[in-house]
Every structure is written in structure tokens, then in C-alpha cells.
Amino acid sequence: MRIVFAGTPEPAVPSLERLIRSPRHDVVAVITRPDAVAGRGRKVVRSPIGELADSHGIEVLTPERPSEPDFLARLADLAPDCAPVVAYGALLPQKVLDIPAHGWVNLHFSLLPAWRGAAPVQAAIGAGDDMTGASAFRLEAGMDTGPVYGVVTERIRDTDTAGDLLGRLADSGAVLLESVLDGIEDGAITAVPQSADGVSHAPKVSVEAARIRWDRTAAVVDRHVRSVTPAPGAWTMIGDLRVKVGPVTPTEERLEPGEISVTKAGFLIGTSTVAVRLDRIQPQGKKQMAALDWARGARLDAEVRAQ
């Protein structure tokens, strides 16, 4: 099939790589978000998907808005049979959805209808789910509501960060997406409407929502920190200093919520149940470092608390 692929961040790369290598499909163009300023040097950088397409000599389309007339005209000229989507980052209007003969097939990193929205992996870890997966479904006007062609499942490990889990799902999801496109080309696969039961939503996690609540249980704090690692990153205030916190480990020690203890055993902070040990910490504007080393150097006052 003639394919136009839409995607932007690193988790979309395995899918595009598989489709470029596929002998059955021809990736004629890629749609990605416009180049953006990033990093301390404030350089304009291409998205990971844009870079991969460039390296293979594939046309790259970067509309500010998918409703732009020039973009619509070019997409119509390309006449794709199907358009797979993986984390593109913009809503597609109906006039865009209508162009490919077989529609747009979105790879979403949850077992739909669970965790519809922008942050399904973060939501699954934060909620304490045991299992998650990826779903390939046909895009329609609703938010992740279209009929599903197929799924893969993945167990959530006790130490998984969002980055860990997303990496595995990106790889297994790429295999799923390719097989679904093969099935569509063969006329051997049918999309099944999503169940009306089990619907849940996973909105984008804001920086403010990534703040740690020390009045929650150690288990909840642990899941929360892992769910927002590496982005946007869990954080707390220690006195008047804002710090990012790496994954934490529940201990058997007892401290009041937000109470800090720095001993040979480690840098501990209390929750509503047992204290958690911090492994890595990143003060604002500085590099990440060992939490215990930072705490010893900071010479924290006995009255200072995390909040």
C-alpha cells in the first residue's frame, strides 16, 4: 500500500522503521510536528520522525495545523491508501481523515477503551494496573473512540517507569501496526467497535500534576514518581528549593509525611505509611546526582520538610 505516516516523538520511530523496511508497503511521505527550539542552546531541531524520514529521503510535511489548505492539497496529491499514526501530537479534522482510501490507523499505547487520551502509559502506572498494551484502531472524530483492529498486551513490572514501559510498547506496537496494515491490504481484518464498558481517560500530565504528595501512601508515591519519569518528571519542594526526584523505594522506616531523614541508610522522606528512599535527585538548573550525596552536601536543617 501507499502509506503516509504521521508521528513525532521517539516512541513512533520503531513503527516507521518497520514500515520503511516492509516489502509490502511504500512510505511516500511523513507528517510530523514542525521543527522546534529545544535544549540549552535553543537550537531548532527536527523531530525524531522527521530525522528518520530525512535519512531515507522521504518527503516530510510539517503543517502548523493539519487543516491548512496547502497541506490538504499535498496529502490529496499523494493519494495514500492508508495513513498510520503514532503519537503525532495534533488532532486531525474530518476532511483529513477522509483522504486515505483505508483511513487512518492509530497505534495507541493502552488496551482501549481504557486510558483514552494523551498519557495512557503514565495513567496505567499511576493507577497501579497490572497489565496494559497497545491498540491499533481506526481514527474517527472522537478521542480514541474508533473501532479496534488488534491489540498486544504487556505486563507492567514493579519497577517500570513510564519511559521503560513506553519503550517496550513502542517495539511490540510496531509489530502490531505492521500486521494490521498487512491485514487491511489483504482484506483479511475487520475493526471491532470498542466496548462501552471500562472507559477511562488519561489527559496530558502537567508539571503541576507531577508534584509529589507526601501525604499519600508509599505505594502511591512510588507509582506516581515512576509514572512521570522521565517526563515531565516528579518534583517536590525541600525547604525553598525545588528538586526533581528519580524513582523511590519504600522502606520499613516510619517518618511523618514530608519528614526528612539523612543517615547512612540513605535519604528518606516520610509518607502516610512508611518512608521512601530517594535514589537520584536533580536540583533546579543542575545535573542529576545521587540523592544521599546531595543531601549530605546541602546540610539540611532538622526542621526542613519536603512538600
Side-chain angles (χ1 to χ4, degrees):
M1 289 194 295
R2 286 175 60 83
I3 283 174
V4 172
F5 182 94
T8 299
E10 193 66 36
V13 167
S15 289
L16 180 55
E17 286 179 332
R18 286 193 71 92
L19 295 177
I20 289 172
R21 293 196 304 265
S22 171
R24 300 189 56 174
H25 308 297
D26 180 18
V27 181
V28 297
V30 157
I31 306 166
T32 192
R33 298 298 295 151
D35 298 352
V37 174
R40 291 186 178 181
R42 308 303 292 166
K43 293 181 179 179
V44 177
V45 297
R46 193 74 132 169
S47 74
I49 285 297
E51 288 185 345
L52 179 58
D54 288 340
S55 71
H56 286 273
I58 298 171
E59 181 179 356
V60 178
L61 308 176
T62 58
E64 289 286 347
R65 293 177 300 279
S67 58
E68 292 173 0
D70 289 348
F71 168 72
L72 289 169
R74 181 56 187 149
L75 186 59
D77 287 343
L78 289 166
D81 296 311
C82 192
V85 188
V86 185
Y88 169 49
L91 294 176
L92 300 173
Q94 190 63 47
K95 52 190 172 182
V96 173
L97 297 179
D98 290 340
I99 291 176
H102 293 288
W104 297 70
V105 179
N106 191 8
L107 179 65
H108 183 76
F109 298 118
S110 80
L111 297 175
L112 291 170
W115 305 127
R116 295 172 177 170
V121 172
Q122 293 92 328
I125 293 175
D129 293 353
D130 294 322
M131 294 291 296
T132 187
S135 306
F137 72 98
R138 181 161 178 152
L139 272 182
E140 58 181 30
M143 174 63 75
D144 302 330
T145 57
V148 176
Y149 287 105
V151 302
V152 290
T153 59
E154 180 72 36
R155 187 179 72 82
I156 301 177
R157 301 168 187 171
D158 292 342
T159 58
D160 271 339
T161 65
D164 297 333
L165 181 56
L166 186 55
R168 298 202 303 276
L169 289 173
D171 289 337
S172 61
V175 178
L176 169 66
L177 183 61
E178 182 182 19
S179 68
V180 164
L181 295 180
D182 291 349
I184 290 173
E185 184 180 40
D186 294 339
I189 192 169
T190 302
V192 177
Q194 293 183 36
S195 171
D197 298 324
V199 175
S200 52
H201 298 278
K204 182 178 179 180
V205 181
S206 67
V207 172
E208 184 56 37
R211 187 172 187 171
I212 301 169
R213 289 272 306 275
W214 299 107
D215 58 344
R216 295 176 174 171
T217 68
V220 170
V221 169
D222 171 37
R223 293 200 307 264
H224 171 74
V225 172
R226 289 188 289 110
S227 76
V228 294
T229 299
W235 64 278
T236 190
M237 298 296 297
I238 296 181
D240 58 0
L241 183 65
R242 176 171 164 164
V243 297
K244 279 190 174 181
V245 174
V248 300
T249 303
T251 70
E252 296 181 356
E253 300 292 328
R254 293 275 181 174
L255 297 171
E256 291 297 315
E259 183 182 355
I260 292 171
S261 172
V262 181
T263 68
K264 291 181 180 180
F267 180 13
L268 308 183
I269 299 181
T271 72
S272 66
T273 53
V274 295
V276 297
R277 183 176 65 251
L278 277 60
D279 179 29
R280 308 290 292 176
I281 200 168
Q282 183 177 7
Q284 199 163 22
K286 296 185 178 181
K287 293 182 178 180
Q288 190 182 79
M289 63 186 75
L292 183 55
D293 290 346
W294 174 83
R296 285 171 172 165
R299 298 180 182 279
L300 301 174
D301 187 280
E303 300 302 316
V304 170
R305 291 194 169 230
Q307 54 187 334

